[in-house]
Amino acid sequence: MNDLSFEVWILGWAGLLWAAQLVLAAVPANFQLGPSYLASARDEKRALSGVTARLERAYNNHIEGLLLFAVAVVVVVLSGASTPFTEGCAMAYLAARVAYVPLYGFGVPYLRTVAWSVGFIASLMMLGSVLI
């Protein structure tokens, strides 16, 4: 882990998850839409369907969640407020995001929402532990 704080280390892993989700969504999209369409300016709208569409939505959702988590990590690290609690929140965020991908990909209702909620609440708790 070198000199990285645990929260920054987890943020790095969340970035790798983001990259993996990009590939996981892009490969089937390439098959579904065709490489010619994907290489074009995409003036004509085409929609993904099925698992491919769900993987794309999970990827987009991770981008949204990752922004809040990154803000929380920056606030914790710059304030020097890293604690076992913030480390636990960071781990909970990453575990929730990892679980979210297959839950969304396979269309599992409710548990997907629980996974999303855990990640969101973990990020808020990190921020709250410093700001409140």
Side-chain angles (χ1 to χ4, degrees), residues 18-94:
W18 172 80
Q21 281 188 258
L22 174 62
V23 172
L24 194 61
V27 170
N30 201 359
F31 286 110
Q32 202 172 93
L33 300 175
S36 296
Y37 175 74
L38 294 176
S40 74
R42 301 182 199 177
D43 292 329
E44 169 197 338
K45 279 287 186 194
R46 292 187 190 172
L48 296 170
S49 62
V51 173
T52 305
R54 289 193 299 273
L55 289 173
E56 180 187 43
R57 290 191 300 271
Y59 165 76
N60 289 331
N61 185 274
H62 185 98
I63 293 170
E64 294 168 4
L66 187 58
L67 180 59
L68 178 61
F69 178 66
V71 168
V73 168
V74 167
V75 169
V76 166
V77 171
L78 290 182
S79 66
S82 178
T83 65
F85 177 76
T86 60
E87 291 175 359
C89 288
M91 193 59 175
Y93 171 84
L94 183 60

Side-chain angles (χ1 to χ4, degrees), residues 111-122:
L111 283 178
R112 179 188 89 211
T113 303
V114 169
W116 179 89
S117 298
V118 167
F120 181 71
I121 291 168

